[in-house]
Each structure stands twice: as structure tokens, then as C-alpha cells.
Short mmCIF file of all heavy atoms in Angstrom, two decimals:
data_model
loop_
_atom_site.label_atom_id
_atom_site.label_comp_id
_atom_site.label_asym_id
_atom_site.label_seq_id
_atom_site.Cartn_x
_atom_site.Cartn_y
_atom_site.Cartn_z
N MET T 148 112.43 81.67 -54.29
CA MET T 148 113.64 82.45 -54.45
C MET T 148 113.44 83.46 -55.56
O MET T 148 112.99 83.15 -56.64
CB MET T 148 114.82 81.53 -54.78
CG MET T 148 116.10 82.25 -55.00
SD MET T 148 117.41 81.02 -55.19
CE MET T 148 118.70 82.09 -55.61
N THR T 149 113.78 84.71 -55.29
CA THR T 149 113.65 85.79 -56.26
C THR T 149 114.97 86.01 -56.94
O THR T 149 116.01 86.09 -56.30
CB THR T 149 113.22 87.09 -55.54
OG1 THR T 149 112.06 86.84 -54.80
CG2 THR T 149 112.99 88.18 -56.54
N VAL T 150 114.90 86.12 -58.25
CA VAL T 150 116.11 86.36 -59.05
C VAL T 150 116.23 87.87 -59.24
O VAL T 150 115.26 88.52 -59.64
CB VAL T 150 116.00 85.67 -60.42
CG1 VAL T 150 117.21 85.96 -61.27
CG2 VAL T 150 115.84 84.17 -60.22
N PRO T 151 117.38 88.47 -58.93
CA PRO T 151 117.53 89.91 -59.12
C PRO T 151 117.42 90.29 -60.60
O PRO T 151 117.81 89.53 -61.47
CB PRO T 151 118.91 90.21 -58.57
CG PRO T 151 119.61 88.93 -58.41
CD PRO T 151 118.56 87.85 -58.42
N HIS T 152 116.88 91.47 -60.82
CA HIS T 152 116.74 91.99 -62.19
C HIS T 152 118.12 92.36 -62.74
O HIS T 152 118.91 93.03 -62.10
CB HIS T 152 115.86 93.22 -62.22
CG HIS T 152 115.80 93.90 -63.55
ND1 HIS T 152 115.13 93.33 -64.60
CD2 HIS T 152 116.34 95.04 -64.01
CE1 HIS T 152 115.28 94.13 -65.66
NE2 HIS T 152 116.01 95.17 -65.31
N THR T 153 118.41 91.88 -63.93
CA THR T 153 119.65 92.25 -64.62
C THR T 153 119.27 92.89 -65.93
O THR T 153 118.35 92.43 -66.61
CB THR T 153 120.57 91.05 -64.85
OG1 THR T 153 119.83 90.07 -65.59
CG2 THR T 153 121.07 90.46 -63.56
N PRO T 154 119.92 93.99 -66.29
CA PRO T 154 119.60 94.63 -67.56
C PRO T 154 119.88 93.71 -68.74
O PRO T 154 120.76 92.87 -68.69
CB PRO T 154 120.54 95.83 -67.62
CG PRO T 154 121.19 95.92 -66.30
CD PRO T 154 120.97 94.64 -65.58
N ALA T 155 119.07 93.88 -69.78
CA ALA T 155 119.27 93.07 -70.98
C ALA T 155 120.59 93.43 -71.65
O ALA T 155 120.95 94.59 -71.70
CB ALA T 155 118.11 93.29 -71.93
N VAL T 156 121.26 92.44 -72.14
CA VAL T 156 122.51 92.67 -72.88
C VAL T 156 122.15 92.90 -74.33
O VAL T 156 121.34 92.18 -74.89
CB VAL T 156 123.45 91.46 -72.73
CG1 VAL T 156 124.70 91.64 -73.58
CG2 VAL T 156 123.81 91.25 -71.29
N THR T 157 122.73 93.92 -74.91
CA THR T 157 122.42 94.25 -76.29
C THR T 157 123.71 94.37 -77.11
O THR T 157 124.74 94.75 -76.58
CB THR T 157 121.62 95.56 -76.39
OG1 THR T 157 121.34 95.83 -77.76
CG2 THR T 157 122.36 96.71 -75.78
N ASP T 158 123.59 94.06 -78.39
CA ASP T 158 124.71 94.23 -79.30
C ASP T 158 124.61 95.54 -80.06
O ASP T 158 125.49 95.92 -80.78
CB ASP T 158 124.75 93.07 -80.31
CG ASP T 158 125.13 91.76 -79.65
OD1 ASP T 158 125.89 91.78 -78.67
OD2 ASP T 158 124.65 90.71 -80.12
N ASP T 159 123.49 96.25 -79.88
CA ASP T 159 123.24 97.49 -80.59
C ASP T 159 123.85 98.65 -79.80
O ASP T 159 123.39 98.97 -78.71
CB ASP T 159 121.75 97.70 -80.74
CG ASP T 159 121.40 98.88 -81.63
OD1 ASP T 159 122.30 99.70 -81.90
OD2 ASP T 159 120.22 98.98 -82.03
N PRO T 160 124.89 99.29 -80.30
CA PRO T 160 125.56 100.38 -79.58
C PRO T 160 124.64 101.57 -79.29
O PRO T 160 124.88 102.33 -78.39
CB PRO T 160 126.73 100.78 -80.45
CG PRO T 160 126.41 100.26 -81.79
CD PRO T 160 125.53 99.07 -81.61
N ARG T 161 123.56 101.71 -80.04
CA ARG T 161 122.62 102.79 -79.78
C ARG T 161 121.83 102.56 -78.50
O ARG T 161 121.24 103.50 -77.96
CB ARG T 161 121.65 102.94 -80.95
CG ARG T 161 122.35 103.34 -82.24
CD ARG T 161 121.40 103.27 -83.41
NE ARG T 161 120.98 101.89 -83.56
CZ ARG T 161 120.13 101.46 -84.47
NH1 ARG T 161 119.55 102.31 -85.29
NH2 ARG T 161 119.83 100.19 -84.57
N GLU T 162 121.85 101.36 -77.98
CA GLU T 162 121.11 101.03 -76.77
C GLU T 162 121.97 101.10 -75.51
O GLU T 162 121.45 100.91 -74.41
CB GLU T 162 120.52 99.61 -76.90
CG GLU T 162 119.53 99.47 -78.04
CD GLU T 162 118.28 100.33 -77.85
OE1 GLU T 162 117.83 100.46 -76.70
OE2 GLU T 162 117.78 100.87 -78.84
N ILE T 163 123.25 101.37 -75.65
CA ILE T 163 124.14 101.45 -74.50
C ILE T 163 124.16 102.91 -74.02
O ILE T 163 124.84 103.75 -74.58
CB ILE T 163 125.56 100.96 -74.85
CG1 ILE T 163 125.49 99.53 -75.35
CG2 ILE T 163 126.47 101.07 -73.63
CD1 ILE T 163 126.78 99.00 -75.91
N ILE T 164 123.39 103.18 -72.99
CA ILE T 164 123.18 104.54 -72.50
C ILE T 164 123.87 104.70 -71.16
O ILE T 164 123.76 103.85 -70.27
CB ILE T 164 121.67 104.84 -72.36
CG1 ILE T 164 120.94 104.62 -73.68
CG2 ILE T 164 121.45 106.26 -71.84
CD1 ILE T 164 121.42 105.48 -74.82
N SER T 165 124.58 105.80 -71.00
CA SER T 165 125.22 106.13 -69.71
C SER T 165 124.42 107.26 -69.07
O SER T 165 123.78 108.06 -69.75
CB SER T 165 126.65 106.61 -69.94
OG SER T 165 127.44 105.54 -70.46
N ILE T 166 124.48 107.32 -67.76
CA ILE T 166 123.81 108.37 -67.01
C ILE T 166 124.88 109.19 -66.32
O ILE T 166 125.78 108.63 -65.67
CB ILE T 166 122.84 107.78 -65.98
CG1 ILE T 166 121.79 106.92 -66.67
CG2 ILE T 166 122.16 108.89 -65.17
CD1 ILE T 166 120.96 106.09 -65.76
N GLY T 167 124.80 110.51 -66.48
CA GLY T 167 125.79 111.37 -65.87
C GLY T 167 125.16 112.65 -65.38
O GLY T 167 123.93 112.83 -65.41
N VAL T 168 126.01 113.54 -64.90
CA VAL T 168 125.56 114.85 -64.40
C VAL T 168 126.32 115.92 -65.15
O VAL T 168 127.55 115.91 -65.22
CB VAL T 168 125.80 114.97 -62.88
CG1 VAL T 168 125.53 116.38 -62.41
CG2 VAL T 168 124.92 113.98 -62.13
N LEU T 169 125.56 116.85 -65.76
CA LEU T 169 126.15 117.99 -66.42
C LEU T 169 126.30 119.08 -65.35
O LEU T 169 125.29 119.57 -64.78
CB LEU T 169 125.25 118.47 -67.55
CG LEU T 169 125.76 119.61 -68.40
CD1 LEU T 169 127.07 119.23 -69.09
CD2 LEU T 169 124.72 120.04 -69.40
N MET T 170 127.53 119.38 -65.03
CA MET T 170 127.80 120.32 -63.95
C MET T 170 127.56 121.76 -64.40
O MET T 170 127.43 122.03 -65.59
CB MET T 170 129.23 120.13 -63.45
CG MET T 170 129.48 118.72 -62.91
SD MET T 170 131.12 118.49 -62.18
CE MET T 170 132.21 118.86 -63.51
N ALA T 171 127.49 122.65 -63.44
CA ALA T 171 127.21 124.07 -63.72
C ALA T 171 128.23 124.70 -64.65
O ALA T 171 127.90 125.65 -65.40
CB ALA T 171 127.12 124.85 -62.41
N ASN T 172 129.45 124.18 -64.69
CA ASN T 172 130.50 124.73 -65.56
C ASN T 172 130.40 124.21 -66.99
O ASN T 172 131.25 124.50 -67.84
CB ASN T 172 131.89 124.48 -64.98
CG ASN T 172 132.23 123.01 -64.92
OD1 ASN T 172 131.49 122.14 -65.39
ND2 ASN T 172 133.37 122.70 -64.30
N GLY T 173 129.35 123.38 -67.29
CA GLY T 173 129.16 122.87 -68.65
C GLY T 173 129.88 121.57 -68.94
O GLY T 173 129.79 121.05 -70.05
N ARG T 174 130.59 121.02 -67.97
CA ARG T 174 131.31 119.76 -68.15
C ARG T 174 130.57 118.61 -67.49
O ARG T 174 129.85 118.82 -66.52
CB ARG T 174 132.72 119.88 -67.58
CG ARG T 174 133.50 121.00 -68.25
CD ARG T 174 134.85 121.11 -67.67
NE ARG T 174 135.67 120.11 -68.33
CZ ARG T 174 136.97 120.07 -68.31
NH1 ARG T 174 137.63 120.99 -67.62
NH2 ARG T 174 137.64 119.15 -68.90
N LEU T 175 130.80 117.41 -67.99
CA LEU T 175 130.23 116.24 -67.36
C LEU T 175 131.02 115.90 -66.10
O LEU T 175 132.24 116.04 -66.06
CB LEU T 175 130.28 115.04 -68.29
CG LEU T 175 129.24 114.98 -69.39
CD1 LEU T 175 129.53 113.84 -70.34
CD2 LEU T 175 127.85 114.89 -68.82
N ALA T 176 130.34 115.46 -65.08
CA ALA T 176 131.00 114.99 -63.85
C ALA T 176 131.90 113.82 -64.25
O ALA T 176 131.56 113.03 -65.14
CB ALA T 176 129.97 114.55 -62.83
N PRO T 177 133.02 113.66 -63.57
CA PRO T 177 133.99 112.62 -63.93
C PRO T 177 133.59 111.23 -63.43
O PRO T 177 134.42 110.48 -62.95
CB PRO T 177 135.27 113.11 -63.28
CG PRO T 177 134.83 113.88 -62.11
CD PRO T 177 133.53 114.54 -62.51
N ARG T 178 132.33 110.90 -63.53
CA ARG T 178 131.84 109.57 -63.14
C ARG T 178 130.50 109.30 -63.82
O ARG T 178 129.85 110.23 -64.31
CB ARG T 178 131.71 109.47 -61.63
CG ARG T 178 130.74 110.47 -61.03
CD ARG T 178 130.48 110.24 -59.57
NE ARG T 178 129.72 109.00 -59.41
CZ ARG T 178 129.26 108.58 -58.25
NH1 ARG T 178 129.46 109.26 -57.16
NH2 ARG T 178 128.57 107.47 -58.17
N THR T 179 130.11 108.06 -63.85
CA THR T 179 128.78 107.69 -64.32
C THR T 179 128.01 107.07 -63.16
O THR T 179 128.61 106.78 -62.11
CB THR T 179 128.85 106.68 -65.50
OG1 THR T 179 129.55 105.52 -65.08
CG2 THR T 179 129.52 107.30 -66.71
N PHE T 180 126.75 106.85 -63.34
CA PHE T 180 125.89 106.39 -62.28
C PHE T 180 125.12 105.15 -62.71
O PHE T 180 124.83 104.97 -63.89
CB PHE T 180 124.91 107.49 -61.89
CG PHE T 180 125.60 108.74 -61.38
CD1 PHE T 180 126.05 109.71 -62.29
CD2 PHE T 180 125.87 108.91 -60.05
CE1 PHE T 180 126.74 110.82 -61.83
CE2 PHE T 180 126.54 110.04 -59.58
CZ PHE T 180 126.96 110.99 -60.50
N ALA T 181 124.78 104.30 -61.74
CA ALA T 181 124.06 103.07 -62.03
C ALA T 181 122.61 103.33 -62.38
O ALA T 181 121.99 102.55 -63.10
CB ALA T 181 124.17 102.12 -60.84
N SER T 182 122.07 104.43 -61.88
CA SER T 182 120.65 104.76 -62.16
C SER T 182 120.47 106.26 -62.19
O SER T 182 121.30 107.02 -61.68
CB SER T 182 119.76 104.16 -61.07
OG SER T 182 119.92 104.83 -59.86
N ARG T 183 119.36 106.66 -62.77
CA ARG T 183 119.02 108.09 -62.80
C ARG T 183 118.82 108.60 -61.38
O ARG T 183 119.22 109.72 -61.04
CB ARG T 183 117.77 108.29 -63.65
CG ARG T 183 117.45 109.74 -63.83
CD ARG T 183 116.36 109.94 -64.87
NE ARG T 183 116.21 111.35 -65.15
CZ ARG T 183 116.89 112.03 -66.07
NH1 ARG T 183 117.73 111.38 -66.84
NH2 ARG T 183 116.71 113.32 -66.25
N ALA T 184 118.23 107.78 -60.50
CA ALA T 184 117.98 108.19 -59.10
C ALA T 184 119.30 108.45 -58.39
O ALA T 184 119.41 109.40 -57.62
CB ALA T 184 117.18 107.12 -58.39
N ASP T 185 120.31 107.61 -58.63
CA ASP T 185 121.65 107.83 -58.03
C ASP T 185 122.24 109.17 -58.49
O ASP T 185 122.81 109.91 -57.71
CB ASP T 185 122.61 106.71 -58.38
CG ASP T 185 122.29 105.40 -57.72
OD1 ASP T 185 121.50 105.40 -56.73
OD2 ASP T 185 122.84 104.38 -58.15
N ALA T 186 122.10 109.47 -59.80
CA ALA T 186 122.62 110.71 -60.33
C ALA T 186 121.88 111.91 -59.76
O ALA T 186 122.51 112.92 -59.42
CB ALA T 186 122.52 110.70 -61.86
N GLU T 187 120.56 111.81 -59.63
CA GLU T 187 119.78 112.91 -59.08
C GLU T 187 120.14 113.16 -57.63
O GLU T 187 120.19 114.31 -57.17
CB GLU T 187 118.29 112.63 -59.25
CG GLU T 187 117.86 112.73 -60.68
CD GLU T 187 116.43 112.24 -60.94
OE1 GLU T 187 115.82 111.63 -60.03
OE2 GLU T 187 115.96 112.43 -62.07
N ALA T 188 120.42 112.09 -56.88
CA ALA T 188 120.81 112.26 -55.47
C ALA T 188 122.19 112.91 -55.34
O ALA T 188 122.44 113.64 -54.38
CB ALA T 188 120.82 110.88 -54.79
N TRP T 189 123.09 112.67 -56.29
CA TRP T 189 124.45 113.22 -56.25
C TRP T 189 124.51 114.65 -56.75
O TRP T 189 125.31 115.44 -56.28
CB TRP T 189 125.34 112.31 -57.09
CG TRP T 189 126.78 112.64 -57.02
CD1 TRP T 189 127.69 112.20 -56.11
CD2 TRP T 189 127.53 113.49 -57.92
NE1 TRP T 189 128.94 112.71 -56.39
CE2 TRP T 189 128.86 113.51 -57.48
CE3 TRP T 189 127.17 114.24 -59.04
CZ2 TRP T 189 129.86 114.23 -58.13
CZ3 TRP T 189 128.16 114.96 -59.69
CH2 TRP T 189 129.48 114.94 -59.23
N ALA T 190 123.67 114.98 -57.73
CA ALA T 190 123.73 116.29 -58.38
C ALA T 190 123.35 117.44 -57.46
O ALA T 190 122.51 117.27 -56.56
CB ALA T 190 122.78 116.33 -59.60
N GLN T 191 124.00 118.57 -57.66
CA GLN T 191 123.68 119.81 -56.95
C GLN T 191 122.45 120.43 -57.63
O GLN T 191 122.14 120.12 -58.78
CB GLN T 191 124.87 120.76 -57.02
CG GLN T 191 126.14 120.23 -56.38
CD GLN T 191 125.94 120.03 -54.86
OE1 GLN T 191 125.48 120.93 -54.17
NE2 GLN T 191 126.29 118.86 -54.38
N PRO T 192 121.76 121.35 -56.94
CA PRO T 192 120.54 121.97 -57.52
C PRO T 192 120.75 122.65 -58.87
O PRO T 192 119.84 122.68 -59.70
CB PRO T 192 120.13 122.99 -56.45
CG PRO T 192 120.67 122.46 -55.19
CD PRO T 192 121.98 121.78 -55.56
N ASP T 193 121.96 123.17 -59.13
CA ASP T 193 122.21 123.87 -60.41
C ASP T 193 122.83 122.95 -61.46
O ASP T 193 123.30 123.41 -62.49
CB ASP T 193 123.10 125.07 -60.17
CG ASP T 193 124.46 124.73 -59.57
OD1 ASP T 193 124.59 123.60 -59.03
OD2 ASP T 193 125.38 125.57 -59.64
N GLU T 194 122.77 121.65 -61.24
CA GLU T 194 123.29 120.67 -62.20
C GLU T 194 122.18 119.84 -62.77
O GLU T 194 121.11 119.72 -62.17
CB GLU T 194 124.34 119.78 -61.51
CG GLU T 194 125.52 120.58 -61.02
CD GLU T 194 126.52 119.77 -60.20
OE1 GLU T 194 126.14 118.76 -59.60
OE2 GLU T 194 127.69 120.17 -60.17
N GLN T 195 122.43 119.26 -63.96
CA GLN T 195 121.39 118.54 -64.69
C GLN T 195 121.80 117.09 -64.92
O GLN T 195 122.90 116.82 -65.35
CB GLN T 195 121.18 119.24 -66.03
CG GLN T 195 120.15 118.59 -66.91
CD GLN T 195 120.02 119.31 -68.25
OE1 GLN T 195 120.70 120.31 -68.51
NE2 GLN T 195 119.16 118.81 -69.08
N VAL T 196 120.87 116.15 -64.64
CA VAL T 196 121.11 114.74 -64.93
C VAL T 196 120.88 114.52 -66.44
O VAL T 196 119.88 114.99 -67.01
CB VAL T 196 120.18 113.85 -64.10
CG1 VAL T 196 120.33 112.39 -64.48
CG2 VAL T 196 120.49 114.03 -62.61
N VAL T 197 121.82 113.84 -67.08
CA VAL T 197 121.71 113.60 -68.50
C VAL T 197 121.93 112.11 -68.82
O VAL T 197 122.60 111.40 -68.08
CB VAL T 197 122.74 114.43 -69.30
CG1 VAL T 197 122.44 115.91 -69.20
CG2 VAL T 197 124.16 114.19 -68.82
N GLU T 198 121.32 111.68 -69.89
CA GLU T 198 121.54 110.32 -70.42
C GLU T 198 122.18 110.49 -71.78
O GLU T 198 121.74 111.30 -72.59
CB GLU T 198 120.21 109.57 -70.51
CG GLU T 198 119.59 109.31 -69.17
CD GLU T 198 118.28 108.55 -69.26
OE1 GLU T 198 118.02 107.94 -70.32
OE2 GLU T 198 117.52 108.56 -68.28
N TYR T 199 123.23 109.73 -72.02
CA TYR T 199 123.95 109.90 -73.28
C TYR T 199 124.55 108.55 -73.73
O TYR T 199 124.65 107.62 -72.96
CB TYR T 199 125.05 110.95 -73.16
CG TYR T 199 126.06 110.66 -72.07
CD1 TYR T 199 127.25 110.00 -72.34
CD2 TYR T 199 125.81 111.04 -70.75
CE1 TYR T 199 128.16 109.73 -71.35
CE2 TYR T 199 126.73 110.75 -69.75
CZ TYR T 199 127.91 110.10 -70.06
OH TYR T 199 128.81 109.81 -69.07
N ASN T 200 124.90 108.52 -74.99
CA ASN T 200 125.50 107.37 -75.62
C ASN T 200 126.94 107.77 -76.00
O ASN T 200 127.13 108.74 -76.73
CB ASN T 200 124.71 106.97 -76.85
CG ASN T 200 125.25 105.78 -77.55
OD1 ASN T 200 126.37 105.81 -78.03
ND2 ASN T 200 124.50 104.72 -77.61
N LEU T 201 127.92 107.06 -75.48
CA LEU T 201 129.33 107.41 -75.76
C LEU T 201 129.73 107.15 -77.20
O LEU T 201 130.68 107.74 -77.68
CB LEU T 201 130.24 106.63 -74.83
CG LEU T 201 130.20 106.99 -73.35
CD1 LEU T 201 131.08 106.04 -72.56
CD2 LEU T 201 130.63 108.43 -73.15
N LEU T 202 129.04 106.29 -77.88
CA LEU T 202 129.46 105.90 -79.24
C LEU T 202 128.88 106.77 -80.33
O LEU T 202 129.49 106.93 -81.37
CB LEU T 202 129.07 104.44 -79.50
CG LEU T 202 129.71 103.43 -78.51
CD1 LEU T 202 129.22 102.05 -78.86
CD2 LEU T 202 131.21 103.49 -78.59
N CYS T 203 127.70 107.27 -80.12
CA CYS T 203 127.07 108.08 -81.19
C CYS T 203 125.99 108.97 -80.62
O CYS T 203 125.50 108.75 -79.53
CB CYS T 203 126.46 107.17 -82.26
SG CYS T 203 125.10 106.14 -81.69
N GLU T 204 125.63 109.98 -81.39
CA GLU T 204 124.50 110.83 -81.03
C GLU T 204 123.32 110.33 -81.83
O GLU T 204 123.05 110.77 -82.92
CB GLU T 204 124.82 112.28 -81.35
CG GLU T 204 125.92 112.87 -80.50
CD GLU T 204 126.16 114.33 -80.76
OE1 GLU T 204 125.18 115.04 -81.09
OE2 GLU T 204 127.31 114.74 -80.67
N CYS T 205 122.62 109.34 -81.28
CA CYS T 205 121.54 108.68 -82.01
C CYS T 205 120.20 108.99 -81.34
O CYS T 205 120.12 109.13 -80.13
CB CYS T 205 121.72 107.16 -81.96
SG CYS T 205 123.37 106.59 -82.30
N ASP T 206 119.17 109.11 -82.12
CA ASP T 206 117.81 109.19 -81.57
C ASP T 206 117.39 107.77 -81.25
O ASP T 206 117.64 106.84 -82.02
CB ASP T 206 116.85 109.79 -82.57
CG ASP T 206 117.11 111.28 -82.78
OD1 ASP T 206 117.65 111.90 -81.85
OD2 ASP T 206 116.81 111.77 -83.87
N ARG T 207 116.75 107.62 -80.10
CA ARG T 207 116.26 106.31 -79.74
C ARG T 207 114.88 106.09 -80.27
O ARG T 207 114.09 106.89 -80.43
CB ARG T 207 116.25 106.11 -78.24
CG ARG T 207 117.59 106.15 -77.63
CD ARG T 207 117.63 105.45 -76.34
NE ARG T 207 117.34 106.37 -75.23
CZ ARG T 207 117.11 105.98 -74.02
NH1 ARG T 207 117.08 104.72 -73.73
NH2 ARG T 207 116.87 106.80 -73.05
#
């Protein structure tokens, strides 16, 4: 039996990263995505996939 992969749970807020799409108008799309691949599939050619932290602007 194979156990599905689950992301590690962290208490460090710098490790909680969201994936979104920066739309052509400079605003974030009103949703987040489970993976970068999902965001890339949803984004239009003139939009950019971004990873961000809602709590802080931290370098990883």
C-alpha cells in the first residue's frame, strides 16, 4: 500500500508559501493554487506565476 505524499507541517511562518498568478493588470488572481503546475495551467500567456508568503516578505 502506498501512502500519499503530504506536505510537512511547519510552525515557521516563513515556510508557509502560497502560489498565485499575477495578472496583467498588476493584481493577484482572487485564488490560490495547490501547485505551481496548476497555476501555470490556469494563467494566461501575459500573466506570471508567483510564490509568496502572506505573513512577511522573507528571504528563504
